[in-house]
């Protein structure tokens, strides 16, 4: 593809200085939880970043999106083609990395070579672009089509090979109207770190399926054979470890799991006794709306309902708050969520532990020190 260079300058200059940086090269960072839970729509400068390789600098005028495979008409589309051929669609959706809350799993057993994300590998934006389904219908779905694969224009190195990050989603999800080829985030053109000039956004699925710097779409019979679909982002039971895992036996991750997370107070915080406001976010399974978030200050014996802030909306996260009375001494506060389809969370992180550290949706807890 023409028009790709390595970024000559530091592209994270437009990011908020308070971001927690989990790795400088490639750049992986997220907002401090206290700032994260402050706004329903995460400002772009605070939005978490997950990169596996380079951040390509793509000339938007030279850019072309290739659509090929089991379709009737192969396509090569410029950004103007996309904007002028298809109606614009806006979707507010949370994006969550499968590795969010991995840090809690490290206390069970070590997880080498993976980022120790705490609560900050999630954010929410208003995305604008065109529905993938419209582009696929324009291309004409061919016989035997069952999956849609995506490849990015970045360069990642794994197992001695260099290639673009890739993923695939089942055709049924690809034809759902919420899946976007997005050129805007929060009302502005996408920034380099978030996939400019065009990225996929798959609401309700793990972040890894939302391929940035999208170069190619292939309609095919099988899931993508890209490392990040075929090998990484597979889910194993807690008893499997790196020495016993059979790669193909893990479940390819797609829909997010329901969970509620306490952003404030933080673990270890010292607070006065009496009423305290607890704040956080929650997501439903596969992006479904939340039914309730509950808090416990007594180890899970009794639960109080939190107030859900704003609307309960599909694809969006839910911010919530609750007031609980703190007694002097060490006190543990636990949060849990139930979504509109009745999905609930496992209680203990030992139930969710897996050797890659994905999808931790155990009840979230923080321990605070309460004064007299
Ligand atoms: N091309 C490309 N797309 C990518 C990635 C990547 O490294 N390269 N990372 C994925 C992962 S694992 C996540 S969680 C999201 C993060 O998107 P963000 O950086 O905009 O928050 O992008 C996904 N898309
Ligand atoms: Mo991710």
């Amino acid at each position: 593809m023409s028009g790709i260079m390595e970024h000559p300058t530091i592209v994270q200059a437009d990011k908020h200085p308070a971001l927690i940086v989990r790795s400088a090269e490639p750049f992986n960072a997220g907002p401090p939880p206290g700032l994260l839970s402050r706004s329903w729509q995460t400002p772009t400068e605070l939005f978490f970043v997950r990169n596996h390789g380079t951040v390509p600098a793509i000339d938007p005028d030279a850019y072309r999106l290739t659509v090929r495979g089991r379709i009737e008409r192969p396509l090569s589309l410029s950004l103007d083609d996309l904007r002028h051929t298809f109606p614009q669609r806006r979707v507010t959706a949370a994006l969550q990395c499968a590795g969010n809350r991995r840090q809690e799993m490290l206390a069970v057993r070590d997880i080498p070579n993976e980022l120790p994300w705490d609560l900050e590998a999630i954010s929410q934006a208003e995305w604008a672009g065109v529905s993938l389904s419209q582009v696929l219908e324009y291309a004409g779905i061919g016989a035997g089509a069952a999956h849609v694969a995506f490849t990015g224009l970045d360069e990642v190195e794994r197992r001695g090979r260099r290639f673009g990050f890739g993923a695939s989603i089942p055709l049924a999800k690809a034809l759902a109207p919420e899946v976007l080829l997005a050129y805007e985030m929060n009302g502005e053109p996408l920034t380099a770190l978030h996939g400019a000039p065009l990225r996929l956004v798959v609401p309700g699925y793990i972040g890894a399926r939302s391929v940035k710097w999208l170069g190619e779409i292939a309609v095919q019979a099988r899931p993508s054979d890209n490392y990040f679909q075929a090998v990484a982002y597979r889910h194993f039971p807690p008893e499997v470890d790196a020495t016993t895992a059979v790669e193909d036996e893990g479940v390819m991750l797609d829909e997010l799991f329901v969970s509620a997370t306490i952003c404030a107070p933080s673990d270890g915080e010292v607070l006065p006794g009496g009423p305290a406001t607890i704040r956080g976010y929650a997501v439903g399974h596969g992006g479904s709306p939340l039914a309730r978030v509950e808090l416990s200050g007594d180890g899970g014996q009794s639960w109080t309902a939190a107030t859900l802030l704003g609307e309960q909306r599909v694809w969006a996260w839910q911010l919530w708050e609750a007031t609980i009375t703190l007694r002097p001494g060490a006190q543990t506060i636990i949060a849990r969520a139930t979504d509109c389809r009745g999905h609930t969370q496992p209680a203990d992180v030992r139930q969710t532990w897996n050797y890659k550290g994905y999808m931790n949706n155990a009840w979230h807890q923080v321990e605070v020190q309460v004064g007299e």
Side-chain angles (χ1 to χ4, degrees):
M1 213 218 78
S2 55
I4 310 174
M5 316 170 287
E6 290 256 345
H7 246 289
T9 50
I10 304 162
V11 287
Q12 53 261 40
D14 56 354
K15 279 288 166 181
H16 196 288
L19 289 197
I20 303 163
V21 178
R22 298 291 174 193
S23 123
E25 195 54 56
F27 186 64
N28 285 290
L35 287 181
L36 182 60
S37 59
R38 209 172 277 177
S39 46
W40 188 68
Q41 189 172 321
T42 314
T44 304
E45 61 165 8
L46 282 171
F47 202 102
F48 88 102
V49 179
R50 175 71 179 105
N51 293 333
H52 293 78
T54 59
V55 175
I58 301 165
D59 174 358
D61 296 326
Y63 175 80
R64 293 290 181 282
L65 173 68
T66 303
V67 187
R68 61 169 193 84
R70 292 177 184 253
I71 50 173
E72 287 157 8
R73 274 207 293 172
L75 304 174
S76 170
L77 301 168
S78 70
L79 290 169
D80 277 347
D81 294 337
L82 282 167
R83 284 176 197 276
H84 297 140
T85 316
F86 309 99
Q88 189 181 75
R89 189 177 175 102
R90 291 177 183 274
V91 177
T92 295
L95 191 67
Q96 180 175 222
C97 183
N100 195 30
R101 296 183 54 201
R102 178 178 289 128
Q103 202 172 94
E104 295 153 62
M105 290 178 157
L106 303 180
V108 178
R109 254 179 293 157
D110 193 25
I111 301 171
N113 309 318
E114 299 288 344
L115 298 168
W117 295 112
D118 187 15
L119 324 173
E120 74 285 3
I122 183 170
S123 297
Q124 173 156 289
E126 186 199 47
W127 308 98
V130 303
S131 277
L132 171 65
S133 66
Q134 298 234 339
V135 176
L136 293 177
E137 275 154 25
Y138 181 77
I141 304 292
H147 296 265
V148 182
F150 307 90
T151 311
L153 296 167
D154 51 346
E155 263 200 8
V156 185
E157 190 171 338
R158 288 289 186 282
R159 300 185 167 172
R161 287 189 50 234
R162 292 180 77 78
F163 53 92
F165 180 94
S168 62
I169 58 176
L171 182 63
K173 180 69 174 178
L175 294 177
E178 70 273 9
V179 177
L180 293 189
L181 301 174
Y183 43 70
E184 270 181 26
M185 175 180 184
N186 294 334
E188 304 276 351
L190 279 180
T191 61
L193 279 177
H194 293 292
L198 192 75
R199 79 174 299 169
L200 184 69
V201 175
V202 187
Y205 274 30
I206 62 166
R209 306 307 179 218
S210 290
V211 175
K212 302 193 276 189
W213 313 292
L214 189 60
E216 187 185 272
I217 299 177
V219 178
Q220 51 194 56
R222 311 224 140 259
S224 169
D225 60 8
N226 188 281
Y227 175 87
F228 294 96
Q229 181 74 39
V231 180
Y233 297 105
R234 283 188 188 253
H235 201 206
F236 291 86
E239 59 276 11
V240 172
D241 66 22
T243 62
T244 58
V246 179
E247 266 170 12
D248 292 354
E249 289 178 3
V251 176
M252 281 183 182
L253 288 168
D254 47 40
E255 289 190 308
L256 292 169
F257 294 174
V258 61
S259 67
T261 306
I262 301 167
C263 292
S266 55
D267 196 44
E269 202 166 320
V270 180
L271 294 170
T277 304
I278 317 296
R279 287 194 177 81
Y281 63 78
V283 293
H285 188 106
S288 50
L290 275 297
R292 61 185 168 274
V293 171
E294 296 162 295
L295 290 189
S296 176
D298 60 10
Q301 289 170 56
S302 64
W303 296 87
T304 340
T307 304
L308 302 182
L309 306 173
E311 300 163 59
Q312 286 146 276
R313 263 172 70 165
V314 68
W315 317 128
W317 68 0
Q318 183 92 52
L319 299 182
W320 53 265
E321 63 179 42
T323 302
I324 67 168
T325 304
L326 300 175
R327 294 176 308 277
Q331 190 169 343
T332 300
I333 305 162
I334 308 176
R336 68 176 189 193
T338 304
D339 71 20
C340 285
R341 289 195 277 159
H343 293 100
T344 58
Q345 302 180 224
D348 195 312
V349 67
R350 279 169 297 192
Q351 296 166 275
T352 60
W353 191 93
N354 58 93
Y355 86 101
K356 302 284 281 180
Y358 298 135
M359 311 299 273
N360 180 20
N361 74 329
W363 292 355
H364 187 235
Q365 31 182 300
V366 297
E367 193 187 79
V368 292
Q369 305 301 323
V370 183
E372 290 299 322

